[in-house]
Amino acid sequence: MSDEKTLSWSALGTGEKIIFASGCLAVLSMLMPWLDIGLATRNGLTQSAWLILLLGFTYPAIMMFKRQSIDIRIGITLTVIALIWCGSYISGKTTTFGPPGDTIDADLSGSGPGAFILACIGAMVGQGMCHKEDKASEEQKILTPPPVPPSENTDG
């Protein structure tokens, strides 16, 4: 986390840029097909996948906009829960067609959940990088001596 209090692209650290890009991909995934039956598709907004988006990306986004450090335990936990929820969504869209003995397994999930999974992985990497950057910045503050106040001329 950089020390600047304004939010601009140049003020963001590498981890924060990765989180931002992952958040953009997650939002974009909501517009992609989450359910693909062939003749008909449904995007993430109509499949209520936006709830997963809110769960996984709200905390890191708020902390970035507030210019505060992301608690890696909270951020990663929420992102992992969103990742598990997305995996559960995908497994719920797998079905079997055909008569017994001659069945076909079909995955009806579209490309949206896959993009969302990539976004979650990117968000976790970005949060890890932010955590590493924060630790390095704290260590630098400890190693940097405080500024010496100017001495007054005491020539008599």
Side-chain angles (χ1 to χ4, degrees), residues 9-133:
W9 187 253
S10 61
L12 296 177
T14 305
E16 293 169 313
K17 289 177 182 177
I18 291 173
I19 293 170
F20 181 81
S22 297
C24 291
L25 177 59
V27 169
L28 183 64
S29 77
M30 294 297 125
L31 303 175
M32 298 169 82
W34 276 64
L35 179 64
D36 188 357
I37 303 173
L39 297 174
T41 62
R42 297 289 181 254
N43 65 22
L45 299 174
T46 60
Q47 292 293 300
S48 300
W50 56 271
L51 293 169
I52 307 172
L53 174 72
L54 289 179
L55 176 69
F57 288 89
T58 301
Y59 173 72
I62 288 172
M63 298 310 282
M64 278 178 42
F65 285 118
K66 284 181 154 184
R67 305 298 298 144
Q68 295 178 355
S69 295
I70 297 171
D71 185 342
I72 194 163
R73 294 170 297 190
I74 296 171
I76 295 288
T77 300
L78 291 173
T79 307
V80 166
I81 292 170
L83 195 59
I84 291 169
W85 192 354
C86 186
S88 173
Y89 175 87
I90 292 171
S91 68
K93 298 304 177 203
T94 303
T95 188
T96 304
F97 294 108
D102 191 24
T103 59
I104 299 171
D105 292 329
D107 179 13
L108 302 178
S109 63
S111 57
F116 187 81
I117 287 173
L118 289 176
C120 286
I121 292 169
M124 288 190 289
V125 168
Q127 290 176 44
M129 290 178 75
C130 283
H131 181 68
K132 188 175 178 180
E133 290 168 3

